[in-house]
Amino acid sequence: GLFLESVADRLADPSLVAAIVAACGFDQESAARLVDFLRAQRDATGCPPPHRHHLVVEHVASGPGGAPGNQIVLHTPWGLRVNRPLSLALEAAWDARFGDRLQVYPSDDAVVLVLPRDASGGECLALVTEATVDSLVRAKLEGSGFFAARFRECAGRALLLSRPRIGERMPLWMNRLRSQKLLRAAARHDDFPIMLETWRTCIQDEFDMASLHVLLAELERGLIRVSEVHTLHPSPFARGSAWRHINEYMYMGDFTPGELTSGLRDDLIRSVAFTPHLRPAIRHDVVSHFVEKRQRTYPGYSPATPRDLHDWLRERQFIPGVEWERLLASIHRDHGLDAVAILGPLGDRVLTLPAAGEAGSVVVARERASTVLRALRSGGRRSLPDDTPPFADAETSEPDPTGGREAVGLLLAQWLQYYGPVSERFIVQTSGVAPEVLAGALEAIPDAIIRGNLIEASGEIEVCDAANFETLLRIGRRQAVPSLVPRPLHALPSFLARFQNLAAGGDGPRALHRCLEQLSCYSAAAAAWETEVLPARLSSYVPSWMDALMDEGEIMWVGCGNQRVCFVAGGDLDLLPPRRGREPGRPADAGHQAVERAVSEEWNRATAFPDPRGRYDFGVLLERSGGTAQELADRLWDGVWKGTISNDGFGALRKGIENQFRVPGMTLPPPSAGRRRFGRTSFSRWKGSLPMAGTWFSMPEPEATDDPIELEERIKARARCVLERYGIIFRELLANEPPPFRWPALFRALRLMELSGEIAGGYFFEGIPGLQFASHKGLSSLHDERGADTVYWMSATDPASLCGVRLPGLKGLLPRRVPGNHLVFHGERPVVASERWGGSLTFRVPPDHPDAIRYLGFLEHLLARPVQPLRRVTVARINGQDAAGSPYLDVLRARFDAVAEHRHVSIHRRY
């Protein structure tokens, strides 16, 4: 950088080549090539080359190899020890600002940014400042591939990764796998020595944080000039960094995505900790383990020398006598030093004072004695006599005008930093502070502590240092994540099918009830429920089961859009998507009010349904409406799709599906026909199209609430609903759900449920880019191998189908998510794909496969289903060829009456 600065203004000087030869010792040819290179850089960017005090921000309109892209190259000739931590800070700051991942590739002389969205160079540079760079680097470092590589080196030096025999070489890929396994295990501990050594190696040995601070400060003060340029192709300086973009994916090594850092934002942790109704209780074993380490009584943690013990005592302020004896016992266990050996060199620098309560005494360092005594006297410590002499060399403090409340509060705030949640009774008995003084002292430090029922099944109100409680939340969450080997992506379709019982094939009304409970609040086309969704889950679906289930009244169907319905229990109506685009309990805007007025003017629902709890058959509603049967039917179906009207039976919906929710007009005979009667067929068709089955009722308005706790619980209930449906959820999977059940609406609630231990977050299936959440039932089913030889089918629009789910690993393997497309699986393998109601078949097994005939069960269903069966299936293409000449024609003939015509095959059910 300094060299570039010295020659930046002399590129046009013909004597520059000779000056470089004389100053740097280059030969004439090398110096000439260097000058030509610098001039080419100047000509490409239109500004002087970058140097120590000149930062060039180059916007490149193409990616590597000339492919379309959006890159920014920060020409920072500051060296990799500076550019690498800068790249980590930029990545962390971008994620915090915009919520998506920025791809950053550092080198010795540049930092390449591959932008997911448009941004200026100044906007990118402003993300990192001298004040925030340290915290940003620490937030991103542990989850980076660089940290994983340094961990592998440190573990190898510590002999934690076993070495091969002499003369043998351990393959790098095997060493990486073993290192990743060790890193996952070490990440569960907050004090693993090799983790600490890796942090030290990165921060002190690999990064030059001091120089980075200096450069960022100069950048903020304007001492480093910034030039922003735009190029169609990378400039000469940027071409050397383009290969790093490609290598990131060609040679991925130590990076283990989603396995180390939790990704929890600090503001979310703090909102959980300081909000009583959201705060989860901590397990007792987690607290005990944390306290042992915090108080240095855990094996290997105790002070090793008298000076270390004295420093620890100064830091603790004072230690109750019982804990002091426990600490000395830990020193003897770890280092073989008895009390005389460890305390003898300290002499009178350690004081034991009488104390009230169970502790019996407290131990303080002489330097802290005066401050501790004054605070404890202010707290009503009767066992400390008033004539206790001061210590000439002890610390002093100013008189407390609040009568000791703030002094006691500050002392307790420091003292509680070495405990987990403790009861107020424990504080009184251990420190001797009077209960009436303790209450005021805790009120003086509201931001430093948390109060409430903090330990599971304790039954007491505990007090805990706020930072410690946040740490306990993280530890509890980390321990709740199961140690599982991620399954491959191709196993996900079979997992969802097995979890939703597609492979089990239950039977009977109870099995139907379980299916509808699991699919509660799922919106599907009304015609698909009895033709596609339910028959795929039941070995033999009978429509009368649905009618009997509706008669019991436990589950109802509700319209949710244009010819779409969902099933829901009566108590879960408030989970449904809000009517007319607004959440119940929240005021409607002017547009919504106008819609409501228009609906009210069109048809006064209060007139048709005077009793909101009443149920009316079609004849009564026709009499009250004062219109024609066709007008009433249209109004009823319009109210159904808006979610304001429903029917207590499924027969009305089934009849509406058959007639496409239309009432055909009844044609009158022309006058010339004389006395000819109406056609019976026309009249029967008209009468059969009327929704006369069952009774109609007005859907109750969900209970309005503005209570944030109630709204939070409603969102959690929706999260439980989708977890009950899928077992494991992620952003892309929920894209087919109604808006209130999608990832953005549920993400915060899922995080809170994860913190409370109700669900687990982690990396359960490979190939999914973001975080995944799993219920405990889903985790127990994750490695269930039952059904490996089961053949099952599903519609492409089925809730268990991954068609249309945007996952890179599934691209091109599944048909489009449209009605009429089907999939057949044999265990985890997709074996047949069908499009356009069997019009195009794709077999992924040879024609002589022994199970090929079994794979055609979905065609049997299309022809024989009890609701809207097809008269025939016309197969036009099989594996891209005309069906009439396909080698799979014999497979079709083995199961159906198949007639080969000119280019297609017509198949009928074989009786």
Side-chain angles (χ1 to χ4, degrees):
L2 294 174
F3 167 77
L4 290 173
E5 185 174 8
S6 66
V7 302
D9 297 329
R10 300 181 56 191
L11 293 179
D13 187 354
S15 63
L16 179 59
V17 174
I20 294 177
V21 171
C24 303
F26 285 13
D27 58 75
Q28 187 79 15
E29 184 180 356
S30 299
R33 286 202 305 267
L34 175 59
V35 172
D36 290 341
F37 183 71
L38 296 177
R39 289 170 179 167
Q41 174 68 21
R42 179 197 58 187
D43 296 339
T45 59
C47 67
H51 52 71
R52 170 65 177 78
H53 292 93
H54 181 212
L55 173 61
V56 177
V57 180
E58 180 182 353
H59 294 260
V60 184
S62 63
N70 185 14
Q71 297 184 84
I72 287 182
V73 180
L74 304 178
H75 292 279
T76 53
W78 300 338
L80 193 57
R81 295 188 64 204
V82 172
N83 287 343
R84 194 184 295 280
L86 176 61
S87 67
L88 292 173
L90 284 169
E91 190 175 354
W94 182 280
D95 187 21
R97 175 74 177 276
F98 299 107
D100 48 19
R101 182 170 179 263
L102 177 70
Q103 299 178 35
V104 188
Y105 309 97
S107 63
D108 276 320
D109 50 7
V111 176
V112 180
L113 312 178
V114 181
L115 303 180
R117 65 184 71 205
D118 291 333
S120 65
E123 187 177 7
C124 294
L125 292 174
L127 293 174
V128 180
T129 64
E130 182 191 8
T132 62
V133 63
D134 286 338
S135 60
L136 292 173
V137 170
R138 295 179 193 278
K140 204 66 180 179
L141 175 60
E142 196 172 82
S144 66
F146 181 77
F147 184 90
R150 300 290 84 73
F151 178 86
R152 173 166 50 84
E153 296 173 359
C154 293
R157 287 196 299 268
L159 303 182
L160 292 183
L161 297 177
S162 58
R163 298 181 178 180
R165 291 177 294 180
I166 297 177
E168 294 184 1
R169 177 182 174 272
M170 179 70 71
L172 179 59
W173 64 268
M174 185 179 297
N175 216 21
R176 279 173 172 163
L177 290 177
R178 296 167 62 222
S179 174
Q180 290 174 9
K181 183 178 180 180
L182 177 62
L183 181 55
R184 283 193 293 267
R188 295 195 292 266
H189 304 280
D190 56 0
D191 54 0
F192 195 72
I194 304 304
M195 291 287 285
L196 299 177
E197 173 62 17
T198 307
W199 273 94
R200 188 205 63 77
T201 300
C202 293
I203 298 298
Q204 297 184 10
D205 297 347
E206 302 290 344
F207 297 165
D208 188 355
M209 298 301 295
S211 297
L212 180 57
H213 276 274
V214 171
L215 291 165
L216 289 175
E218 293 181 356
L219 195 62
E220 294 173 21
R221 294 198 300 269
L223 300 179
I224 296 179
R225 182 165 60 94
V226 178
S227 297
E228 199 157 352
V229 300
H230 295 264
T231 60
L232 293 178
H233 303 283
S235 65
F237 275 27
R239 290 169 195 159
S241 300
W243 64 272
R244 305 187 68 84
H245 185 188
I246 303 173
N247 282 6
E248 176 73 14
Y249 295 98
M250 287 182 61
Y251 305 108
M252 269 191 171
D254 294 285
F255 186 53
T256 52
E259 297 180 357
L260 285 181
T261 55
S262 67
L264 286 177
R265 305 190 311 270
D266 290 338
D267 60 336
L268 182 60
I269 287 284
R270 292 191 64 80
S271 67
V272 170
F274 283 94
T275 307
H277 73 274
L278 299 178
R279 181 191 302 141
I282 309 298
R283 297 200 319 269
H284 188 272
D285 60 320
V286 174
V287 176
S288 301
H289 191 74
F290 171 79
V291 171
E292 287 183 0
K293 292 186 175 181
R294 198 71 182 91
Q295 296 181 358
R296 300 185 67 173
T297 58
Y298 191 78
Y301 276 62
S302 60
T305 63
R307 177 166 182 168
D308 190 10
L309 177 61
H310 182 258
D311 292 341
W312 176 243
L313 184 58
R314 283 170 54 89
E315 184 179 338
R316 285 286 306 271
Q317 301 295 326
F318 69 94
I319 300 179
V322 176
E323 295 178 15
W324 179 254
E325 295 298 329
R326 193 180 303 133
L327 180 61
L328 294 179
S330 301
I331 295 174
H332 180 69
R333 176 200 62 210
D334 294 341
H335 310 292
L337 301 176
D338 56 15
V340 175
I342 194 72
L343 294 177
L346 296 177
D348 61 351
R349 299 172 65 186
V350 175
L351 304 175
T352 302
L353 305 176
E358 298 177 357
S361 62
V362 294
V363 179
V364 299
R366 186 179 184 88
E367 297 86 346
R368 296 279 192 259
S370 179
T371 303
V372 172
L373 287 173
R374 181 172 301 168
L376 293 181
R377 280 205 190 98
S378 301
R381 198 181 186 92
R382 296 179 299 275
S383 64
L384 294 178
D386 293 336
D387 58 352
T388 302
F391 302 94
D393 55 345
E395 297 177 354
T396 60
S397 59
E398 297 295 329
D400 188 355
T402 63
R405 184 183 61 184
E406 291 189 2
V408 177
L410 292 174
L411 180 66
L412 290 178
Q414 298 177 15
W415 184 67
L416 287 172
Q417 292 177 5
Y418 302 93
Y419 292 87
V422 294
S423 64
E424 296 183 7
R425 177 173 52 85
F426 172 86
I427 299 175
V428 171
Q429 294 179 349
T430 304
S431 65
V433 175
E436 60 274 10
V437 178
L438 176 62
L442 296 178
E443 291 177 358
I445 51 171
D447 295 333
I449 62 169
I450 293 174
R451 301 178 68 178
N453 190 1
L454 308 180
I455 301 179
E456 289 183 355
S458 68
E460 289 189 279
I461 300 298
E462 288 97 9
V463 178
C464 185
D465 176 76
N468 284 357
F469 190 74
E470 293 176 18
T471 301
L472 287 168
L473 283 178
R474 295 180 187 273
I475 294 175
R477 173 189 176 275
R478 189 164 61 238
Q479 292 185 0
V481 177
S483 178
L484 296 172
V485 177
R487 300 208 62 191
L489 184 61
H490 66 77
L492 180 57
S494 64
F495 168 81
L496 294 176
R498 186 173 64 251
F499 195 80
Q500 295 190 17
N501 299 312
L502 271 77
D507 207 354
R510 290 300 93 192
L512 173 61
H513 186 271
R514 288 192 296 270
C515 289
L516 294 181
E517 278 188 329
Q518 189 176 45
L519 299 177
S520 176
C521 300
Y522 183 82
S523 170
W529 283 104
E530 288 195 304
T531 59
E532 302 285 357
V533 177
L534 296 176
R537 289 159 172 77
L538 303 170
S539 56
S540 59
Y541 174 74
V542 179
S544 60
W545 297 346
M546 178 69 77
D547 298 331
L549 196 61
M550 293 292 107
D551 290 340
E552 295 177 1
E554 296 182 12
I555 294 179
M556 66 177 68
W557 61 268
V558 182
C560 47
N562 185 22
Q563 298 189 14
R564 300 181 69 85
V565 300
C566 67
F567 292 88
V568 62
D572 294 335
L573 286 175
D574 58 343
L575 304 184
L576 293 178
R579 298 177 187 171
R580 301 183 182 91
R582 64 183 179 91
E583 185 74 29
R586 296 181 181 176
D589 57 22
H592 293 140
Q593 292 174 357
V595 172
E596 292 177 358
R597 284 196 301 269
V599 173
S600 177
E601 291 171 0
E602 180 183 356
W603 185 35
N604 189 345
R605 190 158 53 95
T607 302
F609 298 95
D611 184 358
R613 294 174 295 180
R615 296 172 184 258
Y616 305 88
D617 61 27
F618 188 82
V620 174
L621 292 176
L622 182 61
E623 181 180 352
R624 297 188 62 85
S625 67
T628 66
Q630 184 172 350
E631 292 173 345
L632 175 60
D634 291 340
R635 289 172 176 173
L636 286 175
W637 289 124
D638 182 67
V640 165
W641 309 136
K642 292 178 179 178
T644 60
I645 299 174
S646 187
N647 192 290
D648 59 4
F650 203 78
L653 182 62
R654 190 181 295 127
K655 185 65 67 173
I657 295 170
E658 293 176 1
N659 295 281
Q660 299 180 352
F661 305 102
R662 292 196 301 264
V663 178
M666 189 168 59
T667 306
L668 296 176
S672 61
R675 300 179 59 185
R676 192 175 66 183
R677 302 173 59 186
F678 295 117
R680 292 182 179 273
T681 303
S682 176
F683 178 78
S684 300
R685 188 186 310 115
W686 173 82
K687 185 177 180 180
S689 64
L690 297 177
M692 301 182 66
T695 58
W696 296 88
F697 59 92
S698 173
M699 288 291 297
E701 185 76 24
E703 184 179 355
T705 178
D706 292 322
D707 185 359
I709 299 178
E710 177 63 27
L711 292 175
E712 191 75 39
E713 287 302 318
R714 186 173 298 178
I715 298 175
K716 284 186 177 181
R718 289 170 178 161
R720 296 185 186 101
C721 184
V722 295
L723 283 166
E724 176 65 23
R725 177 147 52 248
Y726 300 108
I728 293 176
I729 60 175
F730 47 91
R731 178 188 292 273
E732 293 78 6
L733 183 63
L734 300 186
N736 296 315
E737 293 281 340
F741 293 85
R742 293 177 186 169
W743 189 263
L746 301 181
F747 183 71
R748 174 181 168 82
L750 291 168
R751 281 296 200 186
L752 299 178
M753 295 166 67
E754 182 194 16
L755 285 174
S756 66
E758 183 177 351
I759 63 176
Y763 186 60
F764 308 115
F765 280 95
E766 299 173 347
I768 298 174
L771 185 62
Q772 306 163 45
F773 291 103
S775 64
H776 295 296
K777 180 181 177 181
L779 289 177
S780 62
S781 304
L782 188 59
H783 291 276
D784 187 358
E785 299 297 335
R786 291 178 297 176
D789 194 48
T790 304
V791 177
Y792 56 93
W793 63 269
M794 69 177 72
S795 167
T797 60
D798 194 276
S801 169
L802 289 175
C803 297
V805 177
R806 296 183 177 180
L807 292 176
L810 298 178
K811 188 175 181 180
L813 298 179
L814 304 176
R816 293 188 305 148
R817 192 180 185 89
V818 295
N821 290 355
H822 295 81
L823 284 165
V824 182
F825 288 86
H826 190 164
E828 295 183 352
R829 296 180 294 113
V831 291
V832 177
S834 168
E835 298 181 270
R836 301 186 303 276
W837 305 106
S840 175
L841 300 179
T842 302
F843 287 85
R844 297 192 173 106
V845 295
D848 58 349
H849 192 279
D851 293 315
I853 299 176
R854 294 175 59 196
Y855 299 158
L856 300 178
F858 75 99
L859 293 177
E860 182 83 30
H861 162 73
L862 294 179
L863 295 169
R865 63 192 182 191
V867 179
Q868 298 182 2
L870 301 182
R871 297 178 58 185
R872 66 178 179 180
V873 173
T874 301
V875 184
R877 308 284 287 178
I878 299 179
N879 285 13
Q881 301 177 357
D882 292 340
S886 172
Y888 292 90
L889 182 58
D890 292 338
V891 179
L892 296 176
R893 286 173 172 167
R895 183 156 186 170
F896 304 99
D897 288 334
V899 178
E901 301 184 14
H902 174 55
R903 302 178 68 177
H904 63 269
V905 176
S906 296
I907 61 175
H908 302 264
R909 182 185 179 190
R910 176 175 294 170
Y911 292 92

